[in-house]
Amino acid sequence: MGRLLTVDNVNVYYGSIHAVKNISFNVDEGEIVTLIGANGAGKSTTLNTISGLLRSKTGDITFNGESLSKTPVHKIVEKGLVMVPEGRRIFLHLTVEENLEMGAYSRPASEIKNSMEEVYELFPRMKERRQQIGGTLSGGEQQMLAMGRAIMAKPRLIMLDEPSMGLAPLLVDHIFRIIGDMHKRGATILLVEQNAQAALEIADRAYVLETGRIVKTGTGASLMSDPMIKIAYLGA
């Protein structure tokens, strides 16, 4: 199992606000790694920096052995690093199928059909609604579509930013089962999630962020039994 992503000494600012402070962590191929923490801890900022939407003042981010520090966002996607953003951000006026096709923009047309079938196998509801306009889907269905669109890019690493946000508890369970299915099919996943319980249950490893810093790390199981984590994030 090789090292796929390395984040080394990353510092990110919004003007004078120091949002991410000296963060370093890694993701190995085949893992689910999660970042947990309260609102404003720097989780989404970290993902946006990895994906090239923001830039670090220091350090480096390497993916599959290559530095991403000067790589444009669309080239990062072409290298196989894809993010499902917070709030889904599907194309509301396109059909389900058109949204999925947009995810495969960087791939040869000959490969799209097989990827579409893979998505429909993981998300049968998307197949049923393939001609439906994206904006008319429920929140849970839009999340499935956003995840399916990411799969269409055939990524080496999928980053999921708050996939359970705004969803009813039953739908949250369903989304996390799908994340587990994606992992069983070989996906490497970096997950940002406020639902610490659900995230730690499926994570191989986890990092806890507080006010822009990593304050604790361990396996998902070890952090679930950690007294500090129980009190702060698991309501125990």
Side-chain angles (χ1 to χ4, degrees):
M1 189 184 295
R3 181 65 42 85
L4 195 55
L5 176 73
T6 301
V7 176
D8 181 30
N9 190 35
V10 163
N11 285 271
V12 184
Y13 293 79
Y14 294 107
S16 61
I17 298 169
H18 196 176
V20 167
K21 303 164 185 172
N22 303 310
I23 278 184
S24 297
F25 67 92
N26 58 74
V27 180
D28 290 341
E29 199 153 7
E31 283 190 307
I32 297 181
V33 172
T34 188
L35 309 179
I36 64 169
N39 267 337
K43 306 184 304 295
S44 293
T45 298
T46 300
L47 291 197
N48 285 331
T49 305
I50 294 168
S51 66
L53 296 170
L54 298 170
R55 294 294 178 182
S56 175
K57 294 287 188 186
T58 63
D60 199 10
I61 297 167
T62 57
F63 179 67
N64 200 27
E66 290 184 58
S67 172
L68 301 180
S69 61
K70 296 180 180 177
T71 308
V73 175
H74 69 284
K75 291 292 185 184
I76 291 175
V77 173
E78 288 175 10
K79 289 177 184 295
L81 201 165
V82 176
M83 181 164 72
V84 179
E86 181 182 339
R88 293 123 204 175
R89 298 186 195 171
I90 64 164
F91 299 101
L92 297 175
H93 301 295
L94 299 182
T95 66
V96 166
E97 198 157 277
E98 288 167 340
N99 266 276
L100 294 174
E101 287 169 349
M102 291 295 286
Y105 78 92
S106 63
R107 297 183 57 207
S110 59
E111 297 179 2
I112 292 175
K113 184 179 178 182
N114 285 342
S115 291
M116 193 82 73
E117 288 306 315
E118 181 184 346
V119 169
Y120 287 152
E121 195 175 323
L122 262 174
F123 304 97
R125 202 174 303 181
M126 294 299 95
K127 187 170 186 178
E128 294 167 11
R129 287 160 171 68
R130 60 186 179 274
Q131 297 306 322
Q132 191 169 326
I133 299 299
T136 67
L137 299 174
S138 70
E141 289 166 346
Q142 288 189 14
Q143 184 62 50
M144 293 176 205
L145 179 54
M147 291 162 68
R149 183 179 61 187
I151 290 169
M152 290 294 294
K154 203 171 183 179
R156 296 280 306 276
L157 172 63
I158 299 177
M159 299 192 296
L160 299 170
D161 193 358
E162 303 284 8
S164 76
M165 181 178 282
L167 301 183
L170 277 176
L171 277 174
V172 172
D173 291 344
H174 185 57
I175 289 296
F176 273 89
R177 280 198 300 273
I178 291 170
I179 294 171
D181 288 343
M182 290 164 61
H183 183 237
K184 287 173 187 171
R185 290 167 175 252
T188 303
I189 297 168
L190 176 58
L191 170 67
V192 156
E193 179 56 57
Q194 269 197 296
N195 187 331
Q197 177 89 30
L200 292 174
E201 281 177 357
I202 67 169
D204 296 299
R205 293 186 300 110
Y207 297 86
V208 183
L209 273 70
E210 288 182 6
T211 59
R213 298 184 189 278
I214 292 174
V215 297
K216 199 172 270 283
T217 183
T219 65
S222 69
L223 290 181
M224 281 187 71
S225 61
D226 183 294
M228 185 199 94
I229 301 301
K230 282 183 174 182
I231 292 168
Y233 299 107
L234 305 179

